[in-house]
Amino acid sequence: MLNTPSPTTPQATGHAEGVSNDEFRAAMSRLAAGVVLVTAQEPSLDPDDPTAPAVEDVGMTATAFLSVSLDPPLVLVSLREGSRMDDLLAEQPLWAVSVLAESQRHIAGRFAMKGRISDRLLFADIPYVRGEVTGAPLVGGALATLECRTEQRVTAGDHTLVVGRVLTAHVPSAQGGPLLYFQGRYRHLG
């Protein structure tokens, strides 16, 4: 028997497989994901201004981050194609990741905002240290921090998968649990 959509079934637009954006989002929202802050540095936005900083810190919240390989140590982050971080990491091979603790929900929300203020202001009151290899901000109180160098970029639909070789890995804070993202909200274990 052929599986034909009923008149009340929403039609998938642009998806030959028959899965609509809403159906896919709803299904994937049931997958709990860890929350990280991806950071990097970009050259000065105004190189002709002697008072402008030499580099600018850039950050973005990500929930599509995972370990790929132990030997060599590789991780992967998925970036929306054409996003500021995607454009930056196409030019800048060094970046960092802070695995956020459940107490750092405000940081995740701040760097996930659309139409947000400058990243310089977003970093202003967040404790961080600079990565020894990348110079990128590593958030204080994070459960783990990694510094990476891009090994490969793969276009996948409307995202870019960035595979990075881990150059440093630290566990600065063993306190608290991880910040999770589940059903469209930040959550914690328990």
Side-chain angles (χ1 to χ4, degrees):
M1 170 179 252
L2 289 176
N3 190 6
T4 57
S6 70
T8 58
T9 303
Q11 293 296 308
T13 54
H15 298 280
E17 293 79 21
V19 177
S20 72
N21 289 348
D22 290 341
E23 290 167 331
F24 183 66
R25 274 192 202 100
M28 295 310 298
S29 76
R30 300 318 193 263
L31 176 64
V35 182
V36 302
L37 183 66
V38 179
T39 57
Q41 290 186 318
E42 70 179 347
S44 177
L45 299 176
D46 192 0
D48 297 330
D49 181 355
T51 63
V55 293
E56 294 280 341
D57 294 324
V58 178
M60 69 156 262
T61 302
T63 56
F65 176 78
L66 57 105
S67 169
V68 173
S69 168
L70 183 60
D71 186 18
L74 299 174
V75 293
L76 177 145
V77 66
S78 179
L79 307 173
R80 185 177 41 79
E81 189 175 24
S83 67
R84 183 175 181 195
M85 189 62 75
D86 181 37
D87 292 345
L88 176 57
L89 294 189
E91 302 293 325
Q92 158 62 281
L94 298 175
W95 45 284
V97 174
S98 297
V99 178
L100 298 180
E102 61 192 355
S103 63
Q104 296 176 314
R105 178 184 305 209
H106 64 288
I107 295 172
R110 178 182 294 191
F111 285 92
M113 289 187 302
K114 292 186 186 337
R116 64 189 194 210
I117 57 176
S118 79
D119 283 21
R120 187 182 311 160
L121 294 175
L122 295 179
F123 280 109
D125 64 346
I126 295 174
Y128 65 87
V129 297
R130 296 234 171 250
E132 59 199 65
V133 176
T134 64
L138 299 170
V139 176
L143 296 179
T145 60
L146 307 164
E147 292 184 275
C148 306
R149 181 185 65 238
T150 299
E151 293 275 312
Q152 187 175 8
R153 292 173 54 87
V154 178
T155 300
D158 58 3
H159 276 64
T160 303
L161 306 178
V162 180
V163 177
R165 180 179 294 256
V166 178
L167 305 173
T168 69
H170 299 286
V171 182
S173 176
Q175 301 299 320
L179 181 61
L180 300 176
Y181 193 72
F182 181 71
Q183 291 188 318
R185 293 181 39 212
Y186 295 117
R187 305 193 187 237
H188 58 85
L189 290 178

